[in-house]
Structures are given as structure tokens and as C-alpha cells.
Amino acid sequence: WETEKEDLMTPLDVKVDINLTPELKEEGEARELIRSIQQLRKKSGLSPKDRIEVVAPSWPANWTKQIQDTTNATQLKVGETLAINVVGQ
């Protein structure tokens, strides 16, 4: 390929949509919850294979399975504050 130097200097217009859709907000909430759960797992000295129950004030319903799969949780329960309980010990 031969390219003229001038071709590399062509201005480029980029448009970015900065509006947060409901789906993006849900994803952000789910990822933040997953991060918080993983921090609790680490603080509790749990290994990745340890199964847990998660108690949380809320979470995006569409993300329940992914939250469970990512954190190795058997279930999510509604509660006042975020907490984890080891299952089967």
C-alpha cells in the first residue's frame, strides 16, 4: 500500500451519544453490585469456588442471572444492606 502523507492528515468528525439509556444505567448498577460483592468475597477470604447467597437492597432484575453467575451466588435476596452468606458450610 502506498499512502500519501496528506491522506493521513484528513480531519475526522466523531459524534458520541452521551445519553444514558435505561439499559446502560441497569448495566452500570449491575456491574457496581458485582464489584461490591467481589470485594466482600475477597474481604471474607473466600475462594472463587465458594458458593454464596447475596443480600442486597436492589438490583436490575434483567441482570439477576449474570450477577449470580459472575459472583458464584446461589440466589439474590432483598435486604436492607449488602451482605454475603457462605452456602454449605
Side-chain angles (χ1 to χ4, degrees):
W1 281 10
E2 288 191 31
T3 311
E4 297 289 326
K5 265 190 172 183
E6 292 174 12
D7 289 343
L8 299 175
M9 304 294 256
T10 305
L12 178 64
D13 288 334
V14 177
K15 294 182 181 181
V16 178
D17 183 357
I18 60 171
N19 295 313
L20 293 179
T21 63
E23 292 83 12
L24 284 175
K25 288 179 184 180
E26 280 187 0
E27 181 178 350
E29 290 171 20
R31 291 184 184 278
E32 180 63 25
L33 178 60
I34 290 168
R35 184 193 63 73
S36 296
I37 294 167
Q38 300 294 47
Q39 282 184 328
L40 285 175
R41 290 179 65 90
K42 183 177 180 178
K43 186 177 177 181
S44 299
L46 300 177
S47 74
K49 66 180 179 182
D50 291 328
R51 304 284 289 165
I52 60 170
E53 282 181 348
V54 174
V55 178
S58 65
W59 61 88
N62 292 337
W63 284 80
T64 299
K65 179 160 177 28
Q66 185 163 352
I67 293 167
Q68 287 178 297
D69 291 347
T70 304
T71 62
N72 207 18
T74 57
Q75 64 179 306
L76 301 176
K77 295 181 178 181
V78 176
E80 205 170 298
T81 59
L82 180 61
I84 60 172
N85 302 305
V86 179
V87 175
Q89 284 188 351

